[in-house]
Amino acid sequence: MSRKRPIASAKRTRTARTFDEVPKKSKVVLLSCGSFNPVTNMHLRMFELARDHLEDTGRYEVVKGILSPVGDGYMKIGLIEASHRVEMAKLAVESSSWIEVDSWESRQADWQETVKVLRHQQQELLSQEPDTDVVGTAKPGRKRKRMDASSATKRRKLEEPDIAPKKTGEPRVMLLCGADVLESFGVPGLWKPQHIEEIASTFGLVCITRGGSDAEAFIQGSDLLLPHRSNIHVVQEWVANDVSATRIRHGLRCGHSVRYLLPDPVLGYIQERQLYNAESEQRNEGVVLAPLQKCARTQE
């Protein structure tokens, strides 16, 4: 007489199969690099738009947003001290439960290329992840040795271009930018081609567009970006918004109200210290932008 298969076992099999078919979402940290001179409400809104877009795909879970102000070594005209820009950024995100400010880039003596900031942030994320390779039953000395070896491996990988998360569940950093930054990839000498390709392939991009830009057309016409189109997310701003830090600085110099264009605590900080004026706008005048300086040295 044949033996019947236990019903409970069959149920377990069906349950396991159903569970395996549920797609796992990739954890994402959105990183926005820029002058933030000053930080505006539009800078913050970009994070909200990007999170909505990524999570609506059903493939991603946005766990954090990071504002990373550029250092003084960027040499952009009108760029005030990084210490002020970092403080304003911190004031701006006080009301957010998921966006924070990282001052690492701003504290570097030399200007840091965006891809290096992405690598640094990815390294920080990986260093915070628990080491699943360590077996809890190992002897104390052996356990420490395995942890050290694993850390050394991570450090070696992070010094190389390909530092994308290798394990399921590890968060990945994606670059959040506006269409102006995306289109700046086409400015000769501003970006290294290998860096553009690494950003697009290893990390990924979320680009927020606004009036007057055509990010899709730029991607289609870029030999560096097009092969990685699936890793680039173009998000349309559904409320017309043309706020820019340049226009806000102009308004401040003219004595015009800029309230509701940037967070109130940021405006209070600016007014208390009288940060933006004709003198500050001339800072770095006549100085070549750091990326272009680096490009010129490379070509010599």
Side-chain angles (χ1 to χ4, degrees):
M1 185 175 64
S2 61
R3 298 179 63 183
K4 294 183 179 180
R5 187 178 181 179
I7 296 176
S9 175
K11 286 184 177 180
R12 283 197 298 271
T13 302
R14 287 196 296 271
T15 302
R17 185 182 299 115
T18 302
F19 178 79
D20 290 340
E21 290 172 356
V22 176
K24 294 180 180 179
K25 296 181 181 180
S26 299
K27 293 181 180 179
V28 170
V29 172
L30 293 168
L31 172 68
S32 181
C33 299
S35 300
F36 304 113
N37 189 40
V39 62
T40 71
N41 286 333
M42 187 57 195
H43 289 134
L44 303 179
R45 174 136 181 82
M46 286 172 59
F47 282 93
E48 299 291 334
L49 289 166
R51 181 172 68 167
D52 284 348
H53 174 85
L54 290 178
E55 295 192 343
D56 283 350
T57 66
R59 297 158 48 200
Y60 304 99
E61 176 190 358
V62 178
V63 296
K64 184 165 63 173
I66 300 175
L67 276 168
S68 179
V70 73
D72 294 336
Y74 189 51
M75 296 298 178
K76 186 176 182 179
I77 187 169
L79 188 68
I80 67 169
E81 293 88 345
S83 57
H84 288 308
R85 291 182 287 109
V86 169
E87 285 305 312
M88 287 188 287
K90 288 179 178 179
L91 289 171
V93 302
E94 280 183 346
S95 60
S96 175
S97 61
W98 65 284
I99 307 173
E100 62 185 46
V101 177
D102 190 289
S103 63
W104 178 83
E105 181 184 0
S106 69
R107 289 184 282 106
Q108 305 309 302
D110 298 321
W111 167 70
Q112 298 295 303
E113 293 154 308
T114 300
V115 72
K116 293 181 179 179
V117 184
L118 284 161
R119 292 173 189 166
H120 169 78
Q121 294 296 341
Q122 188 66 63
Q123 178 179 6
E124 289 297 298
L125 288 176
L126 293 180
S127 67
Q128 294 167 13
E129 288 294 298
D131 191 347
T132 54
D133 291 333
V134 177
V135 181
T137 55
K139 296 180 181 180
R142 185 175 183 81
K143 179 178 178 180
R144 177 60 179 272
K145 183 177 180 180
R146 293 182 67 180
M147 287 178 67
D148 291 344
S150 176
S151 299
T153 301
K154 285 183 179 180
R155 282 196 298 271
R156 284 197 303 272
K157 289 182 177 180
L158 290 167
E159 291 171 355
E160 301 169 357
D162 184 10
I163 59 170
K166 299 299 188 297
K167 300 177 184 177
T168 302
E170 284 184 342
R172 60 179 296 194
V173 178
M174 296 183 76
L175 181 64
L176 171 62
C177 67
D180 56 335
V181 174
L182 181 76
E183 292 170 356
S184 75
F185 288 167
V187 177
L190 196 60
W191 297 81
K192 294 178 181 177
Q194 63 269 30
H195 286 181
I196 296 174
E197 191 165 14
E198 182 180 344
I199 290 171
S201 62
T202 301
F203 298 98
L205 280 160
V206 183
C207 174
I208 311 297
T209 68
R210 53 184 178 183
S213 64
D214 192 343
E216 290 287 1
F218 183 82
I219 294 168
Q220 291 298 321
S222 171
D223 292 338
L224 293 173
L225 296 178
L226 190 56
H228 311 291
R229 181 64 187 86
S230 62
N231 212 23
I232 304 173
H233 302 265
V234 176
V235 185
Q236 297 291 334
E237 166 59 286
W238 50 272
V239 176
N241 193 330
D242 198 26
V243 174
S244 75
T246 301
R247 293 183 179 182
I248 288 176
R249 294 199 307 274
H250 176 75
L252 287 166
R253 293 197 307 276
C254 294
H256 296 162
S257 173
V258 295
R259 195 175 184 192
Y260 307 122
L261 296 178
L262 65 173
D264 281 346
V266 174
L267 178 56
Y269 186 94
I270 291 171
Q271 291 174 334
E272 181 181 343
R273 291 162 179 79
Q274 300 180 341
L275 291 182
Y276 294 105
N277 49 50
E279 182 181 352
S280 68
E281 199 64 16
Q282 299 307 311
R283 187 177 184 190
N284 295 325
E285 186 177 21
V287 180
V288 178
L289 201 65
L292 299 177
Q293 289 184 30
K294 182 169 287 191
C295 177
R297 289 196 298 270
T298 302
Q299 294 177 349
E300 288 177 354

